[in-house]
């Protein structure tokens, strides 16, 4: 987003966008005041939502916070107060350091590759060509698969001895890569599988955003003699930035948390490299400790650390949300 | 949390007014073949005992089932009977929600196979009723053996024998790997037992809580060395994922490997695969390190535990059903269906009388291997609450060796990590 150099045109578009946005916000504010008379009425309407959130989100979150300062084993059913020892152990553990680093690399790769790929495909699929609808449908379909099914599919495809991929590679160029125990390949495989898995979601949103770009703006660019690349990069891309911004954050959160299903089936966190498995990401480590090794206290500590991470991400989202983004369309 | 809530909702829904006795049996078999068999036994039992109702419920994998049972027990909604994986026996004991079956009513375990009962006996008490039991065997492709000039009637029985056979097989250049073997801690445990070595201290955790492992030992090193030798010579293949027996079996049945080592419980599926791919399957005893006297295999599988929170009639019904499900005829039919051992001597006799072993000679290998096991501390198997974690550690060590690390450094660090995991678990009891 920061790569966009403001041109006179884009600046004009931006100013217009900001003006219309402000006008809309004012109208909305006026409407709000008009609807609710009493002070308690809005709270009354919010009550059902708050109740559901309290039971299913706030209460468990509070329990998790509490549990993070205990040594607890789910099976044994014990709770021993240990203060911040869980945090100290975790943050000084070389295993956890490696998990943090590989999670960050994984998230960065998935977000950048995923969005680049999705935007390119959505751009191509939005061209008026024969069968465009079919292409769009096919692009969206991986999203409909559950992570477990996607994981199983990839597992069969990349079985080094009998998988379709290696059978093909062996026949064509005589190599049979070790996809699941070569650390580099396994990591790359999980990244590519995650990108593929998220592609449908990203393409849908980009397609919608592309269709919302006003035709006159694109036409003006064309009349001004912009090449295809220029009209994409200088006009369309800035206009798509609210969508890109939204997708960056949803993709960060998805790759942080939803990578679990894929990893669990495809690699089980392996292969081992350095201190631990190279595809053991934060959420998988949490699962291992909490649900396979039953270390509930240690898992709660990790959940708290992940919560802090999400808080940082949300803070960033609010902070940068209005600066670099053009809400033009 | 979500699980807990669904669980409590389910528990509310299943509260039935005590008219006769109604109990639930939670098990871990999601596949139609095995869960249907269990449901049919529950139906048989209900038909024979009017006023009593046993409902068999599939509760997810062994970890999920144990977890659900314990959470339910903490809310006094425990299922009366639960199938618990052997590896989780110490966890089940430490949870305090189960009672030894001997305390419910006196049971004569004389007819149950000794090595099997010994696995589930802790400090003289039989804790649970043995149900599905298995051990590892060598599976081999007879057709490929013949092609390479090997004798399918004499499969290798030692590590050295395997390597020798592999050398000959490799020389035949069939473009097929010799051994499909996944880094699998269960096999490590079996090979420790065969060498009469304990896996954890305090007599495999049976005379006191285990505090350290015996991974870094001459016996343990021989196992790691076996993986290394196979890998260095280029004989070994697998999917690369830890403990991926499904993937390894698939490689073997697709005729991409001459041999594999796996549980007898997989015999049914491997046999199906061999038929589909059109080759003759052979089964041999588990190859063991050279120069060791066979000390026998450790029983893998699961047993049936009775909840402490169950009322007396419920607990008695639960135990009665467990004994019914493992009676002579039922265990024979279970064995034929799945490849698990029938856990009773009388079932073995029955199968012999029916001519089962002459019609399916493959099965006899596994039997002899088990029947020859004279129970002792090493082959009783290890009890430790950190076993699930130490298994992963052992497997990661194997993977390091396959990746080129020395046996020495891999096993030293595996041993350190496993000892730390056990110490961490034991802190729960201070």
């Amino acid at each position: 987003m920061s790569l966009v150099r403001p041109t006179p045109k884009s600046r004009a578009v931006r100013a217009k966008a900001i003006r219309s946005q402000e006008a809309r916000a004012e109208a909305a504010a006026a409407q709000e005041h008009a609807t609710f008379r009493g002070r308690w009425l809005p709270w009354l309407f919010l009550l059902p939502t708050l109740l559901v959130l309290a039971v299913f989100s706030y209460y468990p979150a509070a329990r998790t916070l509490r549990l993070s300062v205990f040594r607890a084993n789910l099976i044994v059913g014990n709770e021993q107060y240990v203060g911040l020892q869980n945090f100290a152990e975790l943050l000084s553990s070389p295993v956890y350091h490696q998990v943090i680093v590989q999670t960050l690399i994984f998230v960065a790769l998935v977000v950048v590759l995923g969005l680049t790929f999705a935007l390119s495909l959505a751009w191509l699929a939005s061209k008026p060509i024969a069968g465009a609808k079919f292409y769009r449908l096919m692009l969206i379909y991986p999203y409909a698969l559950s992570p477990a099914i996607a994981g199983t599919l990839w597992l069969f495809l990349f079985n080094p001895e009998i998988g379709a991929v290696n059978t093909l590679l062996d026949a064509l160029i005589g190599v049979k890569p070790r996809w699941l125990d070569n650390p580099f390949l396994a990591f790359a495989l999980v990244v590519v599988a995650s990108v593929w898995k998220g592609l449908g979601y990203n393409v849908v949103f980009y397609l919608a955003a592309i269709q919302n770009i006003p035709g006159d703006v694109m036409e003006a660019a064309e009349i001004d003699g912009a090449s295809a690349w220029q009209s994409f990069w200088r006009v369309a891309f800035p206009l798509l930035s609210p969508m890109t911004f939204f997708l960056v954050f949803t993709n960060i959160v998805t790759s942080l948390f939803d990578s679990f299903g894929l990893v669990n089936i495809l690699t089980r966190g392996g292969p081992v490299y350095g201190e631990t498995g190279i595809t053991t990401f934060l959420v998988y480590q949490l699962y291992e400790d909490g649900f396979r090794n039953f270390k509930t206290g240690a898992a709660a500590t990790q959940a708290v650390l992940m919560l802090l991470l999400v808080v940082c991400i949300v803070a960033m989202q609010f902070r940068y949300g209005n600066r670099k983004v053009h809400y033009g369309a | 949390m979500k699980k807990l809530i669904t669980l409590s909702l389910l528990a509310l829904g299943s509260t039935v007014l005590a008219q006769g006795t109604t109990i639930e049996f939670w098990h871990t078999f999601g596949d139609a073949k095995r869960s249907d068999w269990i449901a049919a036994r529950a139906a048989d039992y209900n038909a024979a005992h009017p006023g009593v109702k046993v409902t068999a419920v599939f509760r997810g994998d062994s970890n999920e089932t144990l977890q659900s049972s314990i959470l339910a027990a903490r809310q006094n909604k425990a299922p009366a009977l639960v199938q618990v994986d052997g590896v989780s026996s110490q966890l089940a004991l430490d949870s305090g929600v189960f009672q030894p079956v001997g305390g419910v009513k006196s049971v004569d375990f004389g007819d149950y196979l000794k090595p099997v009962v010994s696995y589930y006996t802790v400090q003289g008490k039989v804790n649970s009723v043995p149900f599905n039991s298995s051990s590892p065997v060598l599976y081999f492709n007879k057709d490929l053996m013949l092609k390479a000039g090997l004798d399918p009637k004499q499969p290798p029985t030692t590590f050295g024998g395997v390597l020798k056979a592999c050398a000959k097989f490799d020389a035949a250049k069939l473009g097929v790997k010799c051994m499909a073997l996944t880094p699998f801690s269960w096999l490590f445990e079996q090979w420790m037992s065969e060498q009469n070595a304990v896996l954890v201290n305090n007599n495999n955790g049976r005379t006191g809580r285990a505090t350290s492992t015996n991974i870094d030992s001459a016996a343990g090193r021989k196992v790691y060395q076996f993986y290394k030798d196979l890998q260095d010579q280029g004989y070994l293949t697998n999917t690369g994922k830890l403990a991926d027996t499904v993937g390894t079996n698939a490689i073997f049945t697709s005729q991409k490997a001459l041999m594999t080592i796996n549980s007898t419980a997989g015999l049914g599926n491997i046999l199906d695969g061999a038929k589909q791919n059109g080759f003759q399957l052979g089964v041999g005893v588990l190859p063991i390190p050279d120069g060791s006297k066979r000390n026998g295999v450790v029983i893998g599988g699961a047993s049936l535990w009775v909840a402490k929170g169950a009322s007396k009639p419920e607990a008695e019904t639960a135990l009665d059903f467990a004994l019914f499900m493992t009676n002579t005829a039922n265990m024979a039919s279970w064995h034929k269906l799945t490849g698990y051992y029938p856990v009773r001597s009388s079932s073995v006799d029955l199968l012999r009388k029916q001519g089962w072993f002459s019609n399916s000679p493959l099965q006899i290998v596994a039997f002899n291997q088990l029947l020859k096991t004279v129970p002792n501390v090493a082959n009783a198997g290890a009890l430790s609450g950190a076993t699930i974690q130490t298994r992963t550690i052992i497997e990661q060590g194997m993977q390091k060796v396959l990746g080129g690390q020395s046996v020495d450094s891999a096993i030293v660090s595996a041993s350190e990590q496993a000892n730390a995991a056990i110490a961490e678990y034991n802190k729960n009891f201070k």
Side-chain angles (χ1 to χ4, degrees):
Chain A
M1 284 164 280
S2 55
L3 295 174
V4 185
R5 254 178 289 122
T7 59
K9 196 175 291 152
S10 79
R11 228 178 271 145
V13 170
R14 189 174 163 192
K16 187 179 147 201
I18 290 171
R19 272 198 304 279
S20 74
Q21 193 192 359
E22 278 166 0
R24 245 180 283 155
E26 271 166 36
Q31 235 170 18
E32 261 169 45
H33 287 296
T35 316
F36 294 114
R37 289 259 164 69
R39 176 188 286 229
W40 298 107
L41 197 58
W43 289 105
L44 185 69
F45 288 137
L46 278 175
L47 193 66
T49 312
L50 287 177
L51 266 177
V52 169
L53 279 175
V55 172
F56 291 102
S57 288
Y58 302 147
Y59 175 68
R63 293 277 299 188
T64 305
L65 263 175
R66 182 185 158 275
L67 205 53
S68 68
V69 292
F70 285 86
R71 170 179 296 114
N73 182 297
L74 184 74
I75 303 294
V76 180
N78 61 325
E79 279 187 357
Q80 299 157 323
Y81 180 74
V82 291
L84 294 178
Q85 196 189 319
N86 284 344
F87 288 91
E89 268 173 24
L90 210 55
L91 291 175
S92 63
S93 142
V95 172
Y96 204 61
H97 293 165
Q98 189 185 324
V99 171
I100 293 175
V101 171
Q102 55 205 31
T103 307
L104 294 180
I105 296 173
F106 170 76
V107 169
L109 282 174
V110 170
V111 172
V112 172
L113 293 177
L115 292 189
T116 313
F117 208 47
L119 179 55
S120 326
L121 285 174
W123 189 253
L124 294 176
S126 64
K127 297 287 170 208
I129 44 168
K133 273 190 183 156
F134 175 75
Y135 293 130
R136 281 176 221 166
L137 189 69
M138 286 296 106
L139 284 172
I140 293 162
Y141 128 91
Y143 187 63
L145 291 175
S146 84
I149 291 171
T152 311
L153 263 174
W154 281 71
L155 191 60
F156 278 112
L157 281 174
F158 287 88
N159 181 313
E161 289 292 341
I162 54 173
V165 172
N166 274 14
T167 309
L168 202 68
L169 285 177
D170 194 27
L172 290 178
I173 47 174
V175 291
K176 290 200 278 184
R178 300 284 309 173
W179 295 106
L180 297 170
D181 55 3
N182 175 310
F184 176 77
L185 288 181
F187 192 85
L189 190 66
V190 174
V191 168
V192 172
S194 303
V195 167
W196 171 80
K197 185 73 192 66
L199 202 61
Y201 179 85
N202 295 334
V203 165
V204 168
F205 277 89
Y206 267 135
L207 271 175
I210 289 169
Q211 280 163 7
N212 273 338
I213 293 177
D216 48 355
V217 182
M218 298 306 289
E219 224 174 83
E222 210 176 310
I223 292 166
D224 285 353
S227 68
W229 171 248
Q230 280 170 328
S231 58
F232 169 75
W233 189 240
R234 296 281 167 80
V235 184
F237 188 70
L239 286 170
L240 290 173
S241 62
M243 188 50 76
T244 305
F245 184 76
F246 165 78
L247 286 176
V248 164
F249 284 94
T250 49
N251 275 260
I252 288 177
V253 173
T254 312
S255 50
L256 265 179
F257 292 94
D258 278 7
S259 61
F260 167 75
L262 208 56
V263 165
N264 189 32
I265 300 226
L266 194 53
T267 62
R268 279 186 57 199
V272 64
Y273 179 79
E275 302 286 338
T276 183
I278 196 159
T279 60
T280 302
F281 304 129
L282 287 167
V283 69
Y284 194 72
Q285 181 73 47
L286 191 157
Y287 163 78
E288 278 277 315
D289 282 339
F291 296 97
R292 271 174 60 82
N293 303 328
F294 300 122
K295 293 192 266 184
T296 328
T301 310
Q302 293 174 37
V304 171
L305 290 176
M306 288 192 79
L307 179 71
L308 290 178
L309 192 67
V310 173
V311 168
C312 291
I313 294 169
V314 172
M316 254 165 45
Q317 188 177 7
F318 281 137
R319 192 157 168 199
Y320 296 108
N322 293 323
R323 274 203 215 159
K324 302 273 184 192
V325 179
H326 308 276
Y327 287 98
Chain B
M1 194 66 209
K2 210 189 277 168
K3 209 175 266 171
L4 210 141
I5 287 155
T6 28
L7 204 79
S8 35
L9 286 178
L10 278 172
L12 279 175
S14 65
T15 314
V16 177
L17 288 174
Q19 188 208 23
T21 311
T22 301
I23 62 156
E24 283 200 0
F25 164 44
W26 288 6
H27 65 82
T28 61
F29 293 125
D31 58 307
K33 198 158 87 170
R34 292 179 292 189
S35 66
D36 287 354
W37 186 89
I38 291 172
R41 296 298 79 76
D44 290 352
Y45 185 82
N46 293 340
H49 300 81
V52 173
K53 189 166 189 303
V54 177
T55 314
V57 186
F58 165 60
R59 267 283 163 221
D61 69 22
S62 48
N63 244 13
E64 289 163 352
T65 305
L66 181 63
Q67 196 179 319
S68 312
S69 308
I70 282 161
L71 292 175
R74 300 242 160 87
Q75 303 180 356
N76 295 321
K77 306 268 195 233
L81 192 64
V82 183
Q83 181 194 7
V84 177
D85 213 12
V87 70
S88 302
S89 294
Q90 183 68 46
L91 288 171
L93 283 171
D94 288 341
S95 75
V97 309
F98 300 104
Q99 52 179 323
V101 288
V104 178
K105 63 178 184 187
S106 111
V107 183
D108 178 15
F109 282 102
D111 187 34
Y112 286 78
L113 301 183
K114 279 212 176 58
V116 183
V117 176
S118 117
Y119 189 97
Y120 298 112
T121 306
V122 183
Q123 296 177 349
K125 268 189 216 158
V126 183
N127 280 287
S128 48
V129 179
F131 172 41
N132 55 311
S133 297
S134 63
S135 73
V137 286
L138 177 80
Y139 293 100
F140 56 92
N141 185 322
K142 286 186 177 171
D143 299 354
L144 286 175
M145 274 212 169
L146 285 172
K147 261 190 208 166
L150 290 160
D151 181 6
K153 288 205 179 86
Q154 286 180 315
T157 58
T158 60
F159 286 180
V162 168
L163 291 168
K164 230 194 226 158
C166 282
K168 195 163 178 196
F169 183 73
D170 210 38
K173 295 207 174 4
L174 297 174
V176 172
K177 291 279 187 180
C178 182
M179 173 67 87
L181 191 61
T182 184
F184 194 16
S185 173
W186 186 59
L187 295 177
F188 184 91
E189 292 154 28
Q190 300 290 342
W191 280 318
M192 293 296 274
S193 160
E194 287 283 22
Q195 300 177 74
N196 199 7
V198 293
L199 189 70
V200 294
N201 70 347
N202 288 334
N203 292 316
N204 255 343
R206 282 166 192 273
T207 50
R209 201 173 276 290
T211 56
S212 72
T213 71
N214 194 27
I215 295 172
D216 183 7
S217 56
R221 281 166 186 258
K222 278 186 189 161
V223 179
Y224 270 40
Q225 188 62 45
F226 181 50
Y227 273 84
K228 186 169 180 57
D229 290 341
L230 285 170
Q231 176 79 336
D232 288 354
Q233 304 291 326
Y235 301 154
L236 186 119
T237 187
N238 53 41
T239 59
K241 202 168 102 165
L242 300 181
D244 187 9
T245 51
V246 176
T248 316
N249 285 348
I251 291 173
F252 174 72
T253 53
S254 309
Q255 307 207 64
K256 296 287 182 189
L258 174 68
M259 304 183 257
T260 188
I261 298 175
N262 220 323
S263 164
T264 50
L267 181 58
N269 290 338
I270 292 181
L271 205 54
D272 289 349
K275 271 183 200 146
Q276 269 172 26
N277 290 287
F279 69 88
Q280 291 286 313
L281 177 72
V283 176
V285 290
L286 174 71
I288 60 164
D290 301 70
S292 318
K293 184 176 166 289
R294 275 185 192 274
N295 185 51
V297 285
V298 182
I299 280 304
S303 63
L304 308 170
W305 293 65
V306 175
K308 200 189 264 176
S311 70
K312 198 163 167 55
E314 282 167 359
E316 279 172 1
T317 306
L319 178 56
D320 200 43
F321 174 67
L323 296 173
F324 168 78
M325 199 164 64
T326 56
N327 71 19
T328 306
N330 282 340
M331 274 297 100
S333 102
W334 174 245
H335 164 72
K336 285 182 188 168
L337 182 78
T338 60
Y340 281 113
Y341 292 124
V343 291
R344 302 180 79 132
S345 314
S346 55
S347 308
V348 181
D349 293 342
L350 178 66
L351 287 163
R352 201 168 276 142
K353 248 182 246 157
Q354 292 173 341
W356 170 253
F357 296 116
S358 33
N359 293 333
S360 348
L362 294 179
Q363 308 270 8
I364 198 77
V365 173
F367 270 102
N368 291 339
Q369 184 168 285
L370 179 68
L371 296 176
K372 276 184 198 149
T373 299
V374 180
N376 64 14
V377 167
N379 63 35
L383 279 180
S384 145
T387 308
I388 296 168
Q389 200 178 353
T390 51
R391 278 192 163 176
T392 307
I393 291 167
I394 290 171
E395 285 159 7
Q396 286 182 336
M398 290 170 159
Q399 196 172 46
K400 284 181 190 166
V401 169
L402 297 183
Q405 243 186 59
S406 74
V407 166
D408 188 62
S409 81
I411 212 159
V412 166
S413 83
S415 163
E416 276 169 10
Q417 287 174 33
N419 289 346
I422 290 183
E424 173 70 29
Y425 179 77
N426 289 345
K427 281 186 194 160
N428 289 312
F429 302 96
K430 274 172 192 159

